[in-house]
């Protein structure tokens, strides 16, 4: 999973990126007017994986990862800009950083703090960007039809539907698509079709005193499909991300959080994107893998290796809870708790799977 971070200039994107990836990208870009792309990863915290690590004592314990992209460098104008939007088109989801913090020394492109306006500005850019893609493609399709060439009726109708939606200033994720339509749309990488995290970047005082009020302003947007609002204190979380576990707990308590923004955002992203984890075990490594809810065993095998998908025979499955109750893998096997599942078996969160395959 990859989350593309965007927002107005100086909204705190790199600060948030550093908080989420425990990174230390300098807040001032290197200058020179070029678009700079920062990539980072965050390991998905999972107590079950840690426990499996103790149980199997493998050489490596490999958590799942969430990747983040932050685009820095010169801003051509007040908004995000097409050059930056292009960079996040391949991402799975978008995180839009909205400045709530005051910090008078930090300039605001519109000269005044107004979180809702900033949100609408950025959403407007995403809509226009998608609209241009739809219009461009429709024009080409219609030209082919005029030349007497065959154009896909499905595609024409689908894009007309997208066009109407965007012209009504609604994001494409408010539409629902059949699987075949989704497949058709995938190549366009529409920005407004991606799940959206609205990241409200607050001051320490705001997160303690005004959190609910600021969140409430975004309620109508949070209610849109595949949309979630996420409050955090970017500057503080960036510092916390550099601390060890114990010290960070003390800081978090001060702003009334139990968990770092890094962990909270990952959990929210999993919910938003309907993701679950399954585990593979071995003496070499115990590893967590991320899939969508409802993924059949054969596709889950493909996440590990395409050979495993192609040569899939069976999946040997036990749930995490069942394994823990049995105490050990050997005991679970003795009690006959391991199930053999076929390729259509729907993988469940926390399944521990050994794939049998043949290539
Ligand atoms: N007080 C306060 N200041 C913040 C917060 N987040 C960011 N800042 C400050 O805002 C300024 C801009 O932060 P950046 O993270 O560089 O913002 P950006 O969106 O990456 O900026 P560009 O990439 O130049 O568009 C810096 O001086 C930060 O210290 C916050 O939560 N509170
Ligand atoms: Mg930046």
């Amino acid at each position: 999973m990859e989350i593309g971070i965007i927002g107005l200039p100086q909204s705190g994107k790199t600060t948030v990126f550093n908080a989420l990836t425990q990174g230390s990208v300098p807040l001032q870009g290197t200058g020179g007017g070029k678009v700079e792309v920062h990539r980072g990863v965050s390991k998905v915290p999972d107590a079950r994986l840690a426990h499996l690590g103790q149980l199997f004592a493998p050489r490596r314990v490999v958590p799942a990862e969430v990747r983040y992209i932050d685009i820095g460098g010169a801003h051509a104008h007040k908004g995000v800009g097409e050059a930056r939007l292009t960079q996040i088109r391949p991402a799975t989801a978008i995180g839009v950083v909205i400045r709530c913090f005051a910090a008078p020394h930090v300039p605001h492109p519109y000269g005044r703090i107004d979180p809702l306006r900033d949100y609408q500005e950025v959403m407007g850019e995403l809509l226009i960007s998608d609209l241009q893609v739809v219009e461009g493609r429709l024009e080409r399709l219609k030209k082919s039809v005029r030349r007497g060439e065959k154009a896909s009726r499905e595609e024409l109708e689908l894009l007309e539907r997208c066009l109407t939606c965007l012209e009504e200033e609604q994001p494409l994720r408010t539409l629902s698509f059949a699987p075949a339509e989704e497949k058709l749309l995938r190549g366009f990488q529409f920005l407004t079709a991606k799940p959206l995290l609205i990241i409200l970047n607050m001051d320490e005082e705001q997160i303690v005193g005004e959190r609910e009020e600021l969140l409430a302003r975004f309620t109508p947007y949070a209610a849109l499909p595949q949309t979630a609002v996420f409050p955090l204190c970017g500057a503080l979380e960036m510092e916390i991300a550099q601390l060890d576990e114990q010290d960070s707990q003390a800081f978090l308590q001060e702003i009334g959080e139990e968990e770092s923004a890094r962990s909270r955002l990952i959990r929210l992203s999993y919910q938003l994107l309907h993701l679950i984890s399954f585990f593979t075990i071995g003496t070499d490594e115990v590893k967590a893998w991320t899939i969508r809810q409802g993924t059949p065993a054969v596709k889950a095998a493909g996440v590990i290796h395409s050979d495993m998908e192609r040569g899939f025979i069976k999946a040997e499955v036990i749930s995490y809870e069942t394994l823990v109750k049995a105490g050990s893998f050997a005991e679970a096997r003795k009690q006959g708790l391991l199930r053999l599942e076929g390729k259509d078996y729907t993988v469940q969160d926390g399944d521990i799977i050994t794939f049998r395959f043949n290539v």
Side-chain angles (χ1 to χ4, degrees), residues 5 17 50 68 86 94 106 173 183 189 254 272 305 317 327 336:
I5 299 173
F17 172 84
Y68 293 96
T86 304
I94 291 179
V106 179
R173 64 184 191 287
K183 209 169 154 193
Q189 301 184 319
E254 273 178 39
L272 186 67
H305 201 288
V317 185

Side-chain angles (χ1 to χ4, degrees), residues 8-15 27 75 101 103 106 201-203 234-235:
L8 293 186
Q10 298 288 290
S11 52
K13 299 178 295 295
T14 303
T15 303
L27 297 187
H75 287 268
F101 68 85
V106 179
N201 188 13
M202 303 184 191
D203 272 332

Side-chain angles (χ1 to χ4, degrees), residues 35-250:
V35 171
E36 296 164 26
V37 182
H38 311 128
R39 287 174 193 280
V41 296
S42 183
K43 296 192 181 346
V44 176
D46 192 330
R48 299 170 301 184
L49 181 73
H51 187 67
L52 290 176
Q54 286 166 3
L55 221 51
F56 291 94
R59 288 212 313 226
R60 282 189 304 273
V61 175
V62 188
E65 286 181 344
V66 175
R67 297 188 299 278
Y68 293 96
I69 330 173
D70 164 47
I71 304 116
H75 287 268
H77 54 87
K78 289 182 173 185
V80 180
E82 193 59 36
R84 287 166 178 242
L85 292 180
T86 304
Q87 297 285 339
I88 57 148
R89 279 204 180 274
T92 327
I94 291 179
V96 55
V97 176
I98 301 296
R99 174 171 174 179
C100 299
F101 68 85
H105 65 282
V106 179
H108 188 290
Y110 292 93
R112 199 168 53 84
I113 310 296
D114 184 346
L116 267 184
R117 177 217 36 217
D118 292 0
Y119 171 79
Q120 279 152 357
E121 287 294 331
V122 177
M123 290 308 114
E125 276 192 71
L126 299 186
L127 276 171
I128 289 170
S129 181
D130 281 355
L131 198 56
Q132 283 168 346
V133 175
V134 172
E135 284 172 344
R137 178 67 186 156
L138 273 174
E139 204 170 300
R140 250 171 293 139
L141 282 175
K142 285 176 182 164
K143 233 183 236 164
S144 325
V145 173
R146 279 200 296 275
R147 279 201 303 263
E149 290 163 15
K150 243 177 59 188
S152 144
R153 242 212 21 235
E154 286 85 22
E155 191 181 351
L156 263 170
E157 282 174 5
L158 181 59
L159 289 175
E160 294 283 6
R161 232 176 103 208
C162 291
L163 183 69
T164 309
C165 174
L166 293 166
E167 282 176 343
E168 286 167 1
E169 298 186 12
Q170 293 301 313
L172 293 175
R173 64 184 191 287
T174 57
L175 297 178
S176 46
F177 300 110
E181 294 176 323
E182 257 174 34
K183 209 169 154 193
L184 254 174
L185 289 180
R186 213 170 290 153
F188 294 107
Q189 301 184 319
F190 288 123
L191 296 166
T192 66
K194 296 182 197 295
L196 182 75
L197 290 152
I198 306 169
I199 302 173
L200 301 183
N201 188 13
M202 303 184 191
D203 272 332
E204 280 170 56
E205 301 80 53
Q206 289 173 325
I207 203 115
V208 175
E210 287 170 62
R211 179 198 306 236
E212 297 312 318
E213 188 206 317
L214 284 163
L215 278 171
R217 289 193 221 168
F218 283 85
T219 307
Y221 301 106
L224 289 173
Q226 297 181 73
T227 312
V229 184
F230 184 80
L232 92 173
C233 178
L236 190 72
E237 291 278 2
M238 180 171 107
E239 285 177 38
I240 291 173
Q242 303 295 334
L243 302 174
D244 63 33
E245 196 61 34
Q246 244 179 358
D247 289 344
S248 63
Q249 281 307 321

Side-chain angles (χ1 to χ4, degrees), residues 45 237 249 252 256-265 267:
E237 291 278 2
Q249 281 307 321
L252 286 168
E257 302 285 5
E258 284 172 14
E259 236 184 334
S260 65
R262 186 161 41 93
S263 307
R264 281 193 296 130
L265 190 71
R267 264 199 296 117

